[in-house]
Amino acid sequence: SCPAAEDTQEPPKFRRYPQIRFIAALGDPASSEGSGSEQWSQWKDDPGPRGVYLRNYESKLAKTGISPAGWSFDKDDWWLEEHSLIMFNPKPLLRKRFVKET
């Protein structure tokens, strides 16, 4: 009889990052290498659920500058994600070196 496929495969050789991060990076989406990561940022939590749709700007952000989720809106510095959600600004990405273990 033939052993099951899962019995013959090695487990992946990687360490899981302790907490998911959401990266904000501007650049060429087709690139696979380059520079500029010092300008990247991160959200420690998923910013989407705390976002405000652009169509709701007047009713939910313009008057008070505070989102329904409680973050402050800076009209001179804000983030718009691909689904038209205005989101709070990400924090600077910590400069670390990650080594891929093979």
Side-chain angles (χ1 to χ4, degrees):
S1 87
C2 187
E6 61 270 3
D7 293 339
T8 61
Q9 293 179 353
E10 280 189 45
K13 294 180 181 179
F14 64 88
R15 288 181 293 142
R16 183 175 298 276
Y17 195 74
Q19 185 178 357
I20 293 176
R21 300 284 194 244
F22 298 83
I23 305 294
L26 297 175
D28 180 359
S31 67
S32 61
E33 63 183 14
S35 61
S37 65
E38 64 277 354
Q39 297 174 1
W40 295 2
S41 301
Q42 71 175 346
W43 291 278
K44 289 188 175 187
D45 298 306
D46 185 353
R50 294 168 197 78
V52 174
Y53 280 104
L54 191 56
R55 67 179 176 261
N56 296 330
Y57 169 77
E58 289 296 328
S59 63
K60 296 192 177 187
L61 279 178
K63 293 176 187 171
T64 65
I66 304 295
S67 77
W71 52 269
S72 296
F73 176 71
D74 178 350
K75 66 179 178 68
D76 296 319
D77 187 19
W78 49 282
W79 193 268
L80 183 66
E81 64 94 65
E82 69 269 19
H83 299 107
S84 298
L85 280 171
I86 300 170
M87 299 185 301
F88 59 95
N89 284 326
K91 304 292 183 208
L93 183 65
L94 298 176
R95 303 291 295 160
K96 284 180 136 180
R97 182 178 185 95
F98 294 94
V99 178
K100 180 180 175 186
E101 295 177 9
T102 57

